[in-house]
Amino acid sequence: MNTNLIFLIILGGLIGASSGYLGSFMVLKRMSLVGDALSHVALPGIAIALILGINPMLGAILALTLAIVGIWYLGEKSQIYPEALVGIFFTGSLAIGILLTPEPEMFEALFGNIDKITNLDGLIIILGTVIIFVLTKLISKKLMLGIVSEDLAKSQKINISKVNLTYLLLVGLVVTLGVKFLGTLLTGALVIIPAVTARNISKSIKSFHILSVVFGIIAATFGILIAKILGIPSGPIVVLVGIFLFLFSFLLRSK
Amino acid sequence: MLEEGLILSVKNLNVDFNGHKILDNLSLDLKRDSTLAIIGPNGAGKTVFIKTLLGLINYSGNITWQKDVRIGYVPQKLSVSRELPLTVLEFLILKEKDTKKINDILLKVGFKQKAEHIHHDIRVLNTKLGSLSGGEVQRILMAYALLGNPNVLLLDEPTAGVDIKGEETFYELFKNLKKDSDLTIIFISHDEEIVTKYADNIIKLIHEH
C-alpha cells in the first residue's frame, strides 16, 4: 500500500465521519431526501469553477450556500415544508449543471475521481472536518431540542431558525468536502445512509451518533480501498458499501 | 414596570392568523402564586393564548411578565416518533446536567424508585422517549418543565392522555409544589371538576360569530 493511498483513505475516513455525524441529525429532522438531493446543487457551481479554471470545491460551496439559504428561507417563511419546491429546485440545478459542465469532466463531476485529490484538497478536508465536529457539537443540544419540539426550544429562548441555518450550512460544507471523492450525485448518500443504518440499531442518541460516524468511516474507507484495487470510480462503491451495511443493520433490527 | 404582587399583566392582546381574529382585545392581571384556568371550546384560542404568553406567536398589545419570572412550559402533546433513539435521560439532560436533580424530579412526578410496571420506575431514564405511553410522556414533560425551577408553569392540557387516577395525582402535585414555593400556574383544561377544585381564577374563551 503506498502513502498516497493511505492519505486518500484517511481523508475519506474524515469525510465519512463528518457526513455520518451531520447525517444523524438530518435523519431525525426527517430531511433525508433533502440531504440526499442537496448535493445535486453543487454541480452548476463545479461546472462554473471548471470553466473558470478554479478549485471545484470553491464553486461547490458557493452554489450550496446559495441553495441552503434559499431552502432555509422557504422553510422559515412558509407553514408547510416546501418539499416539492426542493425537488424542482434540485433537479433544476442538476439539469443546468449538466449543460454547463465541460464534456471531459462530466463523469468526474458526477461520480468523483480520487486521483484528482491534491494536497491542498487534503488540507481543506482536514480543516473542514474539524470545523464540522466543533460547531455541530456546540449546537447539538439546541438542535436536538428543536427536533423533539420546536415550541419547547423556543420557549427556552433558543433561536431555532439560527440553529437550523448553521446546521444546514455545515451540511453544505460536508457535501463540498465529499464532492471530489464521490461526485455530486452521490455525496448526499454518505450523509444519509450511515445515519439511517445507525438508527436501525441504536437505543440512545449517544450510540446513534457514534454508530453513524463509524458507519460513515467504514463506508468511505472500504469503498475507496475497493475502488482503488478494482480501478473503478470510488463514489458508487462507497455508496454500495454503505447500503450493504444498511441491509445488515436492517436484518439485525427485525430479529 | 409591573405592580408588586403581580406576576403577569396582559393589555389589549390581539392575535390574528391571515386576517382571522383569534384573540380579540384580551386584558388581564395575574397575581403571583395564583392558579388560572383557561377553558372554552376547541378552536377558541386557548393554546394560541398560552403560546402567545410564551412569545411563540406574533401579537399586538402588551404582555409584561415580572422581572424574576422563570417559565416552565408543558406543551399539549409531543408527537415523538418511536424511531427517535432519544432516551428519557438524554432528553432531560438537555435541560439539567445534574442527574440527582433529575431523579428527584422524576419521583415528584410519580415515577417510583422500584419497578411496578415495565417503565414505571426510575429505569424509565434509559427508555426511549418514543416508547413511553401518552401519560408517561406527559409526566416526563412535566419533569422537564420543573427542572428549570420555574415560578410560573404554563400547562396546555397537561393531563391529556393521562387516566383519571393519574390526573388527580398531577393536580395534587401542583398543589404540593405551590405549598413548597411561590408558583403561579396557568393551565388549560376541559375538566370542570378539576377547574373548580384547583383554579382560583378562570378565563373562558369563546368563539365569536
Side-chain angles (χ1 to χ4, degrees):
Chain A
M1 202 189 283
N2 60 33
T3 46
N4 188 40
L5 182 56
I6 294 173
F7 174 67
L8 287 177
I9 286 177
I10 290 173
L11 292 182
L14 290 177
I15 293 169
S18 33
S19 298
Y21 189 38
L22 282 174
S24 60
F25 293 98
M26 198 65 137
V27 167
L28 297 185
K29 285 168 84 70
R30 299 182 170 278
M31 287 173 74
S32 299
L33 199 62
V34 176
D36 206 3
L38 184 65
S39 59
H40 302 176
V41 173
L43 191 61
I46 292 173
I48 292 169
L50 286 172
I51 293 167
L52 297 176
I54 55 175
N55 192 326
M57 278 177 153
L58 188 64
I61 198 155
L62 289 177
L64 284 163
T65 303
L66 211 66
I68 281 165
V69 172
I71 295 162
W72 170 78
Y73 184 81
L74 286 174
E76 290 296 313
K77 296 297 161 192
S78 71
Q79 289 291 331
I80 317 151
Y81 197 79
E83 198 103 41
L85 277 178
V86 165
I88 293 167
F89 188 48
F90 289 178
T91 39
S93 324
L94 190 60
I96 294 169
I98 287 171
L99 289 178
L100 287 177
T101 310
E103 188 76 34
E105 271 106 1
M106 179 70 84
F107 195 76
E108 178 187 325
L110 289 177
F111 303 107
N113 182 355
I114 52 176
D115 294 326
K116 290 268 179 81
I117 309 277
T118 63
N119 285 340
L120 177 65
D121 294 335
L123 192 66
I124 294 172
I125 288 168
I126 292 167
L127 282 177
T129 304
V130 172
I131 292 173
I132 287 167
F133 270 91
V134 170
L135 286 185
T136 310
K137 183 73 196 159
L138 280 178
I139 59 167
S140 66
K141 274 192 171 183
K142 293 173 180 172
L143 207 50
M144 199 59 230
L145 190 55
I147 288 167
V148 177
S149 161
E150 290 217 348
D151 281 346
L152 213 52
K154 287 180 190 161
S155 79
Q156 288 174 231
K157 310 284 174 225
I158 292 170
N159 187 341
I160 281 293
S161 94
K162 210 171 93 186
V163 171
N164 281 339
L165 180 61
T166 311
Y167 170 71
L168 287 174
L169 289 173
L170 289 170
V171 175
L173 179 58
V174 85
V175 168
T176 304
L177 298 183
V179 110
K180 277 202 168 179
F181 276 87
L182 306 173
T184 46
L185 280 187
L186 299 172
T187 34
L190 195 56
V191 176
I192 299 310
I193 298 170
V196 178
T197 306
R199 193 182 54 181
N200 275 343
I201 51 175
S202 302
K203 292 197 164 54
S204 69
I205 282 293
K206 201 177 163 192
S207 63
F208 176 49
H209 289 322
I210 293 172
L211 287 173
S212 298
V213 169
V214 169
F215 291 144
I217 294 173
I218 294 175
T221 53
F222 277 77
I224 290 168
L225 191 63
I226 294 168
K228 261 295 190 193
I229 291 169
L230 300 180
I232 46 179
S234 48
I237 302 297
V238 169
V239 171
L240 288 176
V241 173
I243 288 176
F244 178 77
L245 291 173
F246 170 77
L247 291 176
F248 194 65
S249 74
F250 195 75
L251 290 178
L252 279 179
R253 169 168 110 152
S254 39
K255 250 206 299 193
Chain B
M1 273 300 282
L2 211 53
E3 208 179 300
E4 198 149 329
L6 291 184
I7 189 84
L8 167 72
S9 174
V10 176
K11 291 225 160 45
N12 308 323
L13 180 67
N14 286 284
V15 173
D16 56 43
F17 292 161
N18 306 322
H20 196 82
K21 240 184 185 2
I22 309 290
L23 298 176
D24 188 7
N25 232 16
L26 198 150
S27 296
L28 69 97
D29 282 335
L30 190 62
K31 272 193 201 137
R32 197 181 266 274
D33 214 12
S34 59
T35 302
L36 171 70
I38 303 164
I39 60 171
N42 289 329
K46 303 186 295 295
T47 296
V48 169
F49 181 48
I50 290 241
K51 287 191 178 181
T52 311
L53 290 178
L54 281 163
L56 304 182
I57 290 176
N58 291 331
Y59 62 90
S60 65
N62 289 307
I63 296 175
T64 320
W65 288 100
Q66 195 60 266
K67 271 194 202 119
D68 66 340
V69 71
R70 293 182 306 277
I71 298 175
Y73 167 50
V74 177
Q76 187 171 30
K77 226 171 72 189
L78 201 62
S79 42
V80 195
S81 152
R82 285 185 70 89
E83 302 277 295
L84 181 71
L86 180 76
T87 66
V88 169
L89 179 64
E90 284 171 328
F91 171 60
L92 295 174
I93 249 176
L94 292 174
K95 196 161 185 185
E96 173 61 61
K97 282 190 191 130
D98 186 346
T99 48
K100 188 175 175 303
K101 266 190 199 161
I102 290 179
N103 274 314
D104 291 349
I105 298 268
L106 284 180
L107 287 174
K108 268 192 188 171
V109 297
F111 288 99
K112 303 286 191 302
Q113 198 73 260
K114 282 193 176 166
E116 283 180 5
H117 311 285
I118 186 107
H119 300 312
H120 222 113
D121 70 312
I122 293 290
R123 279 184 312 177
V124 76
L125 284 171
N126 294 321
T127 308
K128 279 200 269 183
L129 205 54
S131 310
L132 300 180
S133 72
E136 286 169 326
V137 171
Q138 286 309 114
R139 278 196 274 162
I140 293 300
L141 286 174
M142 191 65 214
Y144 187 87
L146 291 174
L147 277 174
N149 191 27
N151 56 9
V152 173
L153 281 176
L154 293 181
L155 313 167
D156 192 349
E157 292 194 50
T159 53
V162 180
D163 58 24
I164 295 174
K165 189 168 160 271
E167 191 175 5
E168 281 288 334
T169 325
F170 245 69
Y171 287 95
E172 284 306 316
L173 166 71
F174 298 149
K175 228 169 133 182
N176 288 330
L177 288 170
K178 284 178 80 91
K179 254 187 243 160
D180 297 341
S181 61
D182 151 44
L183 184 67
T184 309
I185 295 177
I186 301 176
F187 73 102
I188 295 175
S189 177
H190 285 289
D191 188 332
E192 273 180 40
E193 205 178 311
I194 291 283
V195 169
T196 43
K197 194 167 168 190
Y198 294 97
D200 31 53
N201 293 289
I202 298 170
I203 298 184
K204 182 168 189 173
L205 296 177
I206 49 166
H207 284 295
E208 205 158 90
H209 296 286

